Amino acid sequence: MLQRAADALLEAIRDRDTSAVSALLCADASQRERGGPGGETLVLYACYVGAAALAPVLRGVRPYDACEAAAIGDLTALNAALDRDADLISRRSSDGWTPLHLAAFFGRDECTAYLIDNGAPLDAHSTNAIRNTPLHAALAGAGNHNVVRRLLFAGADVHARGEHDI
């Protein structure tokens, strides 16, 4: 029964069905804590499947964490998260990404600039099988030229290796 409800929620997120997501969370708010299939938060899962608009519904009343704020491009929430704990700038999401990886991947220019200006590690490798850097993430994701340019001008290593030493 719990798995069926979790599957229904993930499907509703993939379908970008705000009404179904709201109804499922209203029926069982604890589903917010279960996360996505890769262990990521539901907010990050929604971003990964192109449903970032659902983020406010999925997070509920808790504040966004630094990774979520970077992924959705909420500079105010990112600043607040780092004000709560400055060490979050280099911590990983449950699926291995730093906030800078996520801001870069999703093409969030303002968040990328903010993270770079506040000392986010440019050379951080993700702790998942991909083992890439924020520059790799920027190139693999939204392809925002401003984000790529920012990372390069900040000193991102263009020779860094990721998964399978490529």
Side-chain angles (χ1 to χ4, degrees):
M1 173 101 158
L2 289 176
Q3 187 58 46
R4 220 173 340 169
D7 290 345
L9 179 59
L10 295 177
E11 181 178 347
I13 293 169
R14 285 190 304 274
D15 291 344
R16 295 169 194 80
D17 186 341
T18 305
S19 297
V21 168
S22 296
L24 289 163
L25 291 174
C26 198
D28 181 5
S30 71
Q31 287 196 80
R32 282 188 176 92
E33 306 309 316
R34 290 198 182 101
E40 69 279 6
T41 67
L42 289 177
V43 169
L44 286 178
Y45 177 73
C47 291
Y48 296 155
V49 299
L54 291 171
V57 175
L58 295 168
R59 85 174 152 115
V61 297
R62 71 168 175 79
Y64 291 115
D65 67 33
C67 289
E68 293 169 336
I72 64 172
D74 188 331
L75 186 57
T76 302
L78 179 58
N79 188 9
L82 294 176
D83 279 350
R84 287 190 302 273
D85 184 354
D87 289 340
L88 294 175
I89 201 161
S90 60
R91 287 207 198 124
R92 303 318 194 261
S93 61
S94 60
D95 55 343
W97 310 106
T98 67
L100 185 55
H101 279 91
L102 291 162
F105 180 81
F106 288 106
R108 309 303 188 192
D109 191 36
E110 286 185 325
C111 289
T112 298
Y114 175 82
L115 289 162
I116 290 170
D117 290 348
N118 284 280
L122 298 170
D123 61 347
H125 281 81
S126 61
T127 57
N128 51 36
I130 296 171
R131 294 223 10 93
N132 71 1
T133 66
L135 179 58
H136 292 127
L139 293 167
N144 182 327
H145 298 291
N146 289 331
V147 168
V148 172
R149 193 173 304 121
R150 276 189 199 287
L151 290 164
L152 292 173
F153 287 148
D157 182 1
V158 298
H159 300 290
R161 301 281 185 165
E163 172 187 36
H164 304 294
D165 202 32
I166 54 175

